[in-house]
Every structure is written in structure tokens, then in C-alpha cells.
Amino acid sequence: EVQLVESGGGLVQPGGSLRLSCAASGFTFSSYDMTWVRQAPGMGLEWVSSITRGGNTYYGDSVKGRFAISRDNSENTLHLEMNSLRAEDTALYYCAKIVYIGGSQLFDYWGQGTLVTVSS
Amino acid sequence: EIVMAQSPATLSVSPGERATLSCRASQSVSDNLAWYQQKPGRAPRLLIHGASTRATGVPARFSGSGSETEFTLTISSLQSEDFAVYYCQQYNNWPLTFGGGTKVEIK
């Protein structure tokens, strides 16, 4: 059974940093691209960042230059390093597994999320 | 960035009725569009990809159509478990973008 468990969220002051982790199990982690999607309280979904199995990275415009996605295939863990945090980064952060079906890039399994609150 | 606009924001439907949700892209995304369902307190669930292909295990009452910039998700006969928020998402271009969502509520 595929499981994705996020951790590392919490309360941080504006300008601060936080590192999120996503522990993966139930599939061959190193063979799959992975992604982070966030959801501000009461709002919609926003794609944050993706990393390919080969280590190529992609970022949304709102986090580019401040966030860094990485993966540790030996530990089956996905990370999101978040710097220069702003109030608008407050959200529930989901990690998700990416699957390609006929060329479609799809998020087929999701974790339950970890909450990041940026406030003084 | 491709902007995805969903309408309506809220749709009130009685159980057993049909629901039609719309999604419009600011530029062509071909058929590189997915629909996700999200229930309160839960992570999103993939429903449709390639604009019209149901994901594994998705009931046949869910159908997707459209291409380029105009897309539709239809739920033919709403069941109690279908009341949720639905998001469209394009994966044709980076950055990947979601629509703002349509909440389907009980009338």
C-alpha cells in the first residue's frame, strides 16, 4: 500500500525557514517523480514544486528562489526547504506521487498534509 | 503562466440530478487536463486525466470532455458521496496550474 507521510510543519515567523519532509513507502520511491502542492486555509490548490526521478526540479513562480525541493532515495524521503517565508505561504502542504499515463503527468497518491503557519 | 478559470464557484444540485462543471484555460492546453475531487479534511483524489479518461476505480457517472481551452466535468446522477469540491488542473506547461475549484453542494 502506497503511503506518504508529511512532517516538519509548524509556526514560523515571517522571514524564517522550515524544512518539510515526506516519508514514502509501498512503492519504489527512486523510480517516481514527486511533487508538493499546497492549500491555504479555505482556498484552492496551488502546485509548488516537482522533482523528477533524475533530480530535475521545477517551481511555481510564487516560490521560485525561496524554496528548494530535494529527495533522498536512500531514505525514501522527499524534502522541501522553505526560506524567506511570508504570510502568504501559510498553507497545508501535501506531497504527492506522480505517475505518467499516456504522457499525462498525474498526481495519483497524496499524503494527508502538514500545516505551515507563517505569523509573528 | 496558464490561468485556469472554473465556473460556477458553487453548484447546488439535488441528489440524482446532473451536475455540469466548467473549466477554461487562458491558452490551449491540448487535452492535458485533469480533474480532482476533494472532500472536507481529505487530500484530493484524481478523477479524470487526458480531459476525458477516468482514473482507475472512478464510477462511470463521472465523465470529462473538451480540449484546447474549454473543458467540462459532468456527473450524470449525483450521489451523496459526490458532494465535494472539484478542481481542474493543466499539465501542458510549467508551471502546473489549478483552477479555483467548484463546490458541489446539496440543494
Side-chain angles (χ1 to χ4, degrees), chain B residues 34-50:
Chain B
W35 290 94
Y36 291 84
Q37 175 195 63
Q38 187 179 33
K39 296 180 180 179
R42 303 288 298 273
R45 169 199 178 197
L46 175 66
L47 288 181
I48 300 282
H49 61 89

Side-chain angles (χ1 to χ4, degrees), chain A residues 68-88:
Chain A
I69 190 172
S70 62
R71 63 191 302 159
D72 184 340
N73 290 336
S74 67
E75 295 288 333
N76 292 338
T77 302
L78 178 71
H79 297 290
L80 185 68
E81 189 75 40
M82 304 187 296
N83 299 310
S84 303
L85 282 162
R86 307 165 180 166
E88 53 265 36

